[in-house]
Amino acid sequence: MALDSDTRDQLIDTVRRFVAERLRPLEAQVAETDEVPGAIVAEMRELGLFGLSIPPEYGGLGLTMEEECLVAVELGRTSPAFRSTFGTNVGIGSQGLVMHGTPEQKAKWLPGIASGETITSFALTAPEAGSDSANVQTRARADGDAYVLDGQKIYITNADKAALFTVMARTDPGKAGAAGVSAFLVPRDLPGVSVGRPERKMGQQGAHVCTVTFDGVRVPAENRLGAEGEGFKVAMRVLDRGRLHISAVCVGVAERLIADCVAFAAERRQFGKPIADFQLVQGMIADSKTEAMAAKALTLETARRRDAGENVTLGGAAAKYFASEMVGRVADRAVQIHGGAGYIADYGIERFYRDVRLFRIYEGTSQIQQVVIARETMKAGG
Ligand SMILES: Cc1cc2nc3c(=O)[nH]c(=O)nc-3n(C[C@H](O)[C@H](O)[C@H](O)COP(=O)(O)OP(=O)(O)OC[C@H]3O[C@@H](n4cnc5c(N)ncnc54)[C@H](O)[C@@H]3O)c2cc1C
């Protein structure tokens, strides 16, 4: 159920202040140390950020998709690594459980996920299955009252801290593609689960991805999420939703960068006047603002449609495609408007330029969003 408008505005205001006062001052430190300070994680827990999307009966805030997107826009106004701290609990790490979990599974896991005590990860990508995510080769062999998991997942966000993985594995090797895949809730402490060291990456320092290996892991049959053979559908429903959240974050980052550009352009003087007076600079600001507004409108409209019960596979893919490409262009213009300063680390603009690159890759690359958009459009006849 939606929050009343006062409570919603209060929540958004609280998050905006938390971002401005607590997170923004730490951006450079987090980039340098590759770690979000524990005290900040504790404050995030206190604010309820780990449970934004978890139903209130399990201790979360139970936001609607539109409300979650409005909060995500605010969270986008700082380094994306901060959001990643609780991003998997809010999105891909919890939503399979929220949408397909049994009452027992939900009661067991969701309270810890909502409070942030339990960190969750979503483990779909594997060396052989990236964009072709239905080509899951991680094996789950039924054996008495358990499934035995063998295989490897790569680039798994928050795996170093996760206590619970949602893992997509093939239960029926006789069926190729999506049909033979099931989803499992796999606690990290089961024998045979091992997590590699965090990868070194282009940006978003402070957010970690690791390889997770399953070596003869006996997962109780009661940990299967949804019916056998339905795991790929679970994953796709989770991603449909996650794409809207990511779109909203892209909008927030774009709004942050536009504000930084406006402030810089007013202050920086060349040829005897602020560079904001030059219409070629204004053109870049206008392009960025227009695109950010368009992405926001598309994202929020699609979120409202989802809240109304509509299928948003097309809208979610379109929003993610447009918003992630948009923020790439906005970050590029931000470097340009800042001139040499845009390339120098101390100003933080080049860091955002690197950070936003990921949005076009994970939760489905831009090309995969295009494939989905075209497929859904042709299915609907236009
Ligand atoms: C930092 C980070 C965090 C991540 N977090 C997670 C996570 O938490 N959980 C998880 O499961 N995964 C995660 N991923 C994995 C991510 O979702 C995949 O990297 C992504 O889906 C692309 O898969 P791939 O890397 O195998 O690239 P590939 O699929 O090999 O793609 C390579 C190129 O080929 C293109 N391509 C592939 N197929 C087609 C096609 N049919 N048509 C047109 N072009 C195509 C792609 O668009 C891309 O340009 C993460 C990745 C990164 C980098």
Side-chain angles (χ1 to χ4, degrees):
M1 211 179 66
L3 300 175
D4 65 71
S5 62
D6 278 354
T7 312
R8 187 185 77 175
D9 292 349
Q10 216 174 350
L11 172 68
I12 290 169
D13 191 53
T14 304
V15 174
R16 183 176 298 157
R17 272 189 290 117
F18 178 64
V19 167
E21 293 165 15
R22 303 291 297 139
L23 304 186
R24 285 182 61 152
L26 293 172
E27 288 172 357
Q29 179 190 316
V30 168
E32 208 140 294
T33 59
D34 196 18
E35 208 63 63
V36 175
I40 290 292
V41 178
E43 287 181 48
M44 290 169 169
R45 288 179 60 175
E46 194 82 0
L47 282 171
L49 295 177
F50 285 87
L52 292 175
S53 62
I54 311 293
E57 60 266 38
Y58 299 106
L61 295 179
L63 301 188
T64 63
M65 195 69 233
E66 184 187 11
E67 290 163 349
E68 187 184 319
C69 284
L70 290 169
V71 171
V73 169
E74 297 306 323
L75 294 166
R77 296 185 207 279
T78 186
S79 297
F82 287 114
R83 185 212 61 95
S84 233
T85 306
F86 50 86
T88 49
N89 277 38
V90 171
I92 55 178
S94 71
Q95 290 305 303
L97 190 47
V98 170
M99 293 191 266
H100 296 275
T102 63
E104 293 74 27
Q105 289 171 337
K106 290 181 184 183
K108 184 169 178 186
W109 295 105
L110 286 180
I113 294 173
S115 71
E117 219 165 287
T118 304
I119 301 297
T120 57
S121 285
F122 174 81
L124 175 63
T125 305
E128 70 286 346
S131 297
D132 186 10
S133 53
N135 183 35
V136 170
Q137 299 302 322
T138 299
R139 183 76 171 89
R141 181 172 48 80
D143 182 26
D145 59 355
Y147 289 87
V148 180
L149 257 66
D150 284 288
Q152 195 174 61
K153 299 290 184 178
I154 57 172
Y155 311 150
I156 305 307
T157 301
N158 285 339
D160 54 333
K161 299 180 183 71
L164 182 69
F165 297 95
T166 301
V167 181
M168 268 49 67
R170 186 162 299 281
T171 35
D172 188 346
K175 287 186 185 146
V181 177
S182 304
F184 296 92
L185 296 166
V186 182
R188 185 211 190 99
D189 57 9
L190 288 183
V193 178
S194 58
V195 177
R197 288 159 62 93
E199 304 282 357
R200 296 174 61 227
K201 49 191 188 16
M202 177 191 280
Q204 300 207 10
Q205 273 68 34
H208 299 164
V209 298
C210 312
T211 293
V212 185
T213 306
F214 304 94
D215 184 8
V217 180
R218 278 190 78 81
V219 181
E222 71 210 32
N223 284 26
R224 200 187 61 228
L225 195 53
E228 199 168 283
E230 296 284 303
F232 191 71
K233 278 192 202 149
V234 172
M236 290 306 110
R237 288 194 68 200
V238 167
L239 289 175
D240 263 5
R241 194 181 176 290
R243 285 167 184 164
L244 282 170
H245 180 106
I246 297 291
S247 306
V249 174
C250 291
V251 169
V253 177
E255 289 185 351
R256 153 71 184 273
L257 288 172
I258 293 165
D260 284 358
C261 287
V262 166
F264 182 85
E267 201 172 289
R268 172 71 179 159
R269 297 177 72 85
Q270 285 294 279
F271 301 96
K273 47 177 141 170
I275 61 165
D277 284 1
F278 300 125
Q279 289 181 336
L280 291 175
V281 172
Q282 290 175 13
M284 288 191 272
I285 291 172
D287 284 351
S288 292
K289 183 69 181 174
T290 306
E291 291 190 56
M293 288 171 71
K296 191 175 197 171
L298 174 59
T299 301
L300 293 178
E301 168 64 13
T302 309
R304 281 190 288 272
R305 284 170 182 259
R306 187 180 188 284
D307 288 333
E310 285 183 39
N311 177 314
V312 295
T313 299
L314 170 59
K320 205 266 185 180
Y321 175 44
F322 185 71
S324 61
E325 295 281 337
M326 174 280 294
V327 75
R329 291 190 292 272
V330 170
D332 187 69
R333 289 186 203 109
V335 173
Q336 199 65 20
I337 289 171
H338 282 74
Y343 201 76
I344 300 297
D346 282 352
Y347 291 81
I349 298 296
E350 62 82 33
R351 189 179 64 236
F352 273 103
Y353 180 79
R354 290 182 284 108
D355 284 351
V356 301
R357 191 63 185 81
L358 179 59
F359 294 130
R360 286 187 261 168
I361 296 171
Y362 71 178
E363 299 203 19
T365 64
S366 286
Q367 290 68 43
I368 291 307
Q369 309 305 334
Q370 287 178 293
V371 168
V372 173
I373 294 163
R375 184 194 67 208
E376 295 296 312
T377 303
M378 292 188 291
K379 209 159 63 177

